[in-house]
Amino acid sequence: MNRGCWKLTLVVLVLLISTNAEASFSCHMTDFIKAVKQVEDWDPGSEPAAVLKKLRRAAGLNDAFIQNYLGNADVSGSKLDRNLSTYIRQVVHHRVLEDSREEGVVLTLDGTTVALGPLLLGLEAGFSKARAAGLYQLTLAKDLGLALRHSSPEAHRFGPDGCWDNLTSPQVFTLSDKPSLLTTAQVNGGMDGVVLGREVSANSRGPLKLSSLLTEYYSQQLGSKGMDGAPRLISRRRRENFKTIVNPLLLARHVVKSVNLQQTLEGHAKMAAKKKQLMAVVKKAMKEFVHVYLDCPPFIPRCMWGAEPYRGTPTNLTLPLSFMYIHHTHTPSQPCLTFEQCSADMRSMQRFHQQDRGWDDIGYSFVAGSDGFIYEGRGWHWQGAHTLGHNSKGYGVSFVGDYSARLPSQHSMERVRDQLASCAVGGGRLVPSFTVQGHRQVVNTACPGEALYQEIQGWEHFGEVKN
């Protein structure tokens, strides 16, 4: 086949594929990666930085602030097919609508939702070897700075998260509450942009194709050891990776600088009198950011694992509580390693608790999977049905699996022992002097299993039952 025929065949194939992509529009990361692969195939041999610039042009991410760090995306060269460009713009352009729908976000295989804009900008900054300030300001600092400019000093709540209409072919993502400074999807995208941007900037080997890099990061399958044997650079580790490379005080300074730059680009003079006031607001916001996204573990909300509604009216807890009761599920007996399996296990336990035991809901407050996430049961505010006679006094936290003769993964135990506990204390849900106890200490049961019970006796807050 001569060169001209080969190019024509490629164009026809891409048109057919991209037309089908638009017809079956999906906001799943795997579908977006397929679109990235189409962009790469459109011009074989393109470097990742060039592919990212094409994505930025198609998505319309080309304002003066972005051009200050990455240059103009409207450069000469072949333009993408209209259908492919339309899909990219739809799936990348971020906005929150009045009905709490959030656009410009995608569902990943690990069950979390990511805003694509800050992810792509962070990657382009990394591949382009942009200075560190540009990397931070193109991911989280700009959006946080813009939000702070248009909000009252009291509006320092981050989030919320939300849920998809469909987990197989997601199209509509709806927030669980009114949006505040940054949604969780924006923060996830910003963190991933920083982590991956830093990685590719420091990588001395030849660059991977962008589609391959995204696949490795978002589609990594866990082995039998769960997160204990997982690679360092995967989406499930975004918070711990971000925490190791970003100083919150430095990020706060970048937020202030991004506000000043935005004002300059808009033609406004810098107002020195308000600089200290802005920095004070930003520092306060950073404290909450650290608590919500670095101290607390990543949660999978009820609507994401497919929870049935609570039967009746929940009893609200009186906070803060004094105890954390540790359980194992026993059945399911095996650790869950994927979002799909952990979600199925949660639904199975809820059915057993509601249908067989006649409870209003799944009994546990939270459940730890071996996939790196904490699954929301009754949550922070609803009284559970986990520890008979003590449900109003503490949270019931269970590990998926039977831990009579073995332990949960170290990673999942750290999620509960360190992060979930720190999150509860920092959020005023547990008293700082709270006590950890095994289920068997207050109820006649073998739970949480002999191996796990022996383990928690070495935890800092473990306490014996007082007569």
Side-chain angles (χ1 to χ4, degrees):
M1 182 181 291
N2 62 40
R3 186 176 180 83
C5 290
W6 180 87
K7 281 191 172 183
L8 179 60
T9 301
L10 178 62
V11 168
V12 171
L13 285 173
V14 171
L15 282 171
L16 288 172
I17 295 171
S18 61
T19 300
N20 183 63
E22 185 184 34
S24 57
F25 176 73
S26 168
C27 293
H28 202 288
M29 179 62 81
T30 55
D31 288 328
F32 176 69
I33 293 174
K34 290 176 184 177
V36 172
K37 184 68 165 56
Q38 290 176 34
V39 176
E40 292 170 336
D41 292 343
W42 188 265
D43 189 6
S46 293
E47 295 293 323
V51 173
L52 283 158
K53 197 173 286 291
K54 289 182 179 180
L55 292 171
R56 179 157 62 94
R57 177 172 60 190
L61 297 174
N62 201 36
D63 60 33
F65 188 99
I66 294 171
Q67 289 188 40
N68 182 73
Y69 297 102
L70 298 177
N72 192 346
D74 292 328
V75 293
S76 59
S78 60
K79 292 188 177 181
L80 301 178
D81 166 68
R82 179 180 60 82
N83 291 322
L84 183 57
S85 292
T86 298
Y87 170 76
I88 292 169
R89 186 173 185 88
Q90 286 178 327
V91 82
V92 176
H93 178 65
H94 185 270
R95 61 176 180 167
V96 177
L97 305 179
E98 290 184 359
D99 59 359
S100 293
R101 283 183 295 144
E102 184 176 12
E103 298 182 342
V105 299
V106 296
L107 172 65
T108 68
L109 284 173
D110 64 26
T112 57
T113 299
V114 173
L116 288 173
L119 165 66
L120 296 178
L121 292 174
L123 277 165
E124 187 175 349
F127 277 116
S128 302
K129 309 295 183 183
R131 59 188 186 274
L135 178 59
Y136 297 136
Q137 293 187 31
L138 286 165
T139 52
L140 283 172
K142 177 193 176 186
D143 287 340
L144 182 53
L146 288 173
L148 285 168
R149 285 177 61 192
H150 300 292
S151 63
S152 64
E154 292 77 22
H156 293 168
R157 184 176 57 83
F158 287 89
D161 206 337
C163 283
W164 290 93
D165 60 330
N166 185 290
L167 299 183
T168 303
S169 181
Q171 297 183 8
V172 179
F173 185 71
T174 305
L175 297 172
S176 59
D177 202 347
K178 293 181 180 179
S180 53
L181 301 184
L182 290 179
T183 67
T184 295
Q186 286 178 284
V187 174
N188 287 341
M191 285 185 174
D192 289 346
V194 169
V195 170
L196 289 175
R198 283 283 297 268
E199 185 71 18
V200 299
S201 178
N203 196 351
S204 58
R205 65 175 176 166
L208 288 170
K209 281 186 172 293
L210 179 61
S211 58
S212 299
L213 175 64
L214 293 174
T215 299
E216 285 187 8
Y217 186 74
Y218 289 106
S219 304
Q220 183 70 39
Q221 299 297 312
L222 299 181
S224 59
K225 294 183 179 179
M227 289 295 291
D228 288 354
R232 175 184 62 86
L233 197 68
I234 58 174
S235 59
R236 291 180 178 89
R237 295 193 188 276
R238 69 166 55 89
R239 295 191 183 195
E240 52 204 84
N241 285 329
F242 184 84
K243 191 173 184 177
T244 63
I245 61 178
V246 176
N247 181 303
L249 180 58
L250 181 62
L251 182 58
R253 291 172 180 168
H254 284 307
V255 171
V256 173
K257 289 180 180 178
S258 78
V259 171
N260 289 333
L261 175 59
Q262 193 71 33
Q263 289 177 331
T264 300
L265 293 172
E266 293 172 358
H268 303 303
K270 295 180 182 179
M271 293 175 279
K274 292 188 176 181
K275 187 174 182 179
K276 289 185 178 181
Q277 179 183 354
L278 175 61
M279 191 62 185
V281 170
V282 171
K283 284 183 177 179
K284 185 177 179 182
M286 280 299 104
K287 287 182 179 179
E288 186 171 356
F289 176 89
V290 168
H291 169 69
V292 174
Y293 295 109
L294 300 184
D295 292 342
C296 291
F299 294 97
I300 299 296
R302 289 170 61 90
C303 55
M304 282 297 291
W305 59 260
E308 290 293 323
Y310 190 100
R311 294 179 176 177
T313 302
T315 299
N316 288 325
L317 292 163
T318 301
L319 305 180
L321 305 181
S322 299
F323 292 89
M324 179 184 286
Y325 299 109
I326 302 299
H327 301 248
H328 71 163
T329 63
H330 188 269
T331 303
S333 62
Q334 298 301 312
C336 61
L337 301 173
T338 66
F339 166 63
E340 290 80 6
Q341 186 58 55
C342 292
S343 296
D345 287 347
M346 292 293 290
R347 293 192 297 271
S348 175
M349 287 185 284
Q350 187 187 41
R351 282 195 301 271
F352 174 69
H353 289 173
Q354 287 185 321
Q355 297 176 13
D356 291 35
R357 293 193 170 178
W359 297 349
D360 295 331
D361 196 3
I362 188 171
Y364 306 120
S365 306
F366 297 98
V367 178
S370 292
D371 62 336
F373 296 94
I374 300 292
Y375 286 73
E376 180 188 25
R378 298 207 189 184
W380 295 120
H381 300 287
W382 293 353
Q383 180 175 304
H386 46 78
T387 312
L388 185 63
H390 296 74
N391 294 315
S392 64
K393 301 176 182 179
Y395 294 110
V397 182
S398 191
F399 291 85
V400 176
D402 180 350
Y403 297 107
S404 301
R406 62 175 176 176
L407 288 174
S409 68
Q410 290 296 320
H411 190 274
S412 64
M413 288 192 292
E414 289 170 4
R415 283 281 197 238
V416 172
R417 182 189 64 220
D418 302 330
Q419 287 191 290
L420 185 63
S422 174
C423 182
V425 172
R429 293 141 182 163
L430 275 179
V431 298
S433 59
F434 74 94
T435 300
V436 169
Q437 290 183 333
H439 187 192
R440 63 169 64 182
Q441 289 177 263
V442 291
V443 176
N444 184 19
T445 176
C447 181
E450 184 62 27
L452 181 54
Y453 180 62
Q454 292 298 323
E455 165 68 23
I456 67 173
Q457 290 182 64
W459 291 10
E460 179 184 356
H461 285 268
F462 179 81
E464 298 290 349
V465 177
K466 296 179 181 180
N467 295 325

